[in-house]
Amino acid sequence: MKYIIAVIKPHKLDPVREALTALGVSGMTVTEVKGFGRQKGQTEIYRGAEYETNMVPKVKIEIACASDQAPAVIEAIQHAAETGAIGDGKIFEFELAGALRIRTGDTNETAL
């Protein structure tokens, strides 16, 4: 099993969710987050005054999936989230040691 974390631009959440739903991804966790990478923040204007922010709003998506499904999930996220501009985000892939569905006691891929 794989655990995939993607940090993307907020306005790309719906296209990514639609792409993952088309692949049969049955669930995900979405969190609004702030951070920075090479982008180093952004300049914003508030009440006519320009100021720098060092944390950029992003959306973090977390998905647990079968190992054989992971490459398709990563590709779907990449294509749906890409704008070609700096700050498109990152995708991280981890080995997932186990999963447990609390309600039924199902484990590992059955729990997904």
Side-chain angles (χ1 to χ4, degrees), residues 88-109:
D88 275 352
K90 298 269 191 306
I91 302 172
F92 305 98
E93 178 183 4
F94 301 92
E95 290 293 329
L96 184 58
L100 171 77
R101 179 174 291 145
I102 294 172
R103 178 179 56 87
T104 62
D106 292 343
T107 59
N108 298 328
E109 289 189 16

Side-chain angles (χ1 to χ4, degrees), residues 54-105:
N54 59 359
M55 297 290 179
V56 180
K58 300 286 183 178
V59 171
K60 180 169 75 171
I61 302 169
E62 299 170 80
I63 302 162
C65 64
S67 294
D68 60 342
Q69 190 181 24
V73 168
I74 291 169
E75 184 178 354
I77 295 169
Q78 179 185 6
H79 290 300
E82 183 180 17
T83 67
I86 192 167
D88 275 352
K90 298 269 191 306
I91 302 172
F92 305 98
E93 178 183 4
F94 301 92
E95 290 293 329
L96 184 58
L100 171 77
R101 179 174 291 145
I102 294 172
R103 178 179 56 87
T104 62

Side-chain angles (χ1 to χ4, degrees), residues 7-79:
V7 180
I8 62 170
K9 292 182 175 185
H11 72 276
K12 287 298 197 169
L13 177 59
D14 285 337
V16 168
R17 185 186 52 78
E18 290 167 7
L20 293 173
T21 300
L23 281 180
V25 172
S26 59
M28 65 185 77
T29 301
V30 178
T31 312
E32 292 181 9
V33 296
K34 291 184 178 189
F36 70 93
R38 291 184 183 164
Q39 194 174 4
K40 304 281 193 253
Q42 63 188 13
T43 302
E44 295 184 3
I45 297 175
Y46 179 71
R47 295 190 178 191
E50 190 173 288
Y51 66 98
E52 291 274 328
T53 60
N54 59 359
M55 297 290 179
V56 180
K58 300 286 183 178
V59 171
K60 180 169 75 171
I61 302 169
E62 299 170 80
I63 302 162
C65 64
S67 294
D68 60 342
Q69 190 181 24
V73 168
I74 291 169
E75 184 178 354
I77 295 169
Q78 179 185 6
H79 290 300

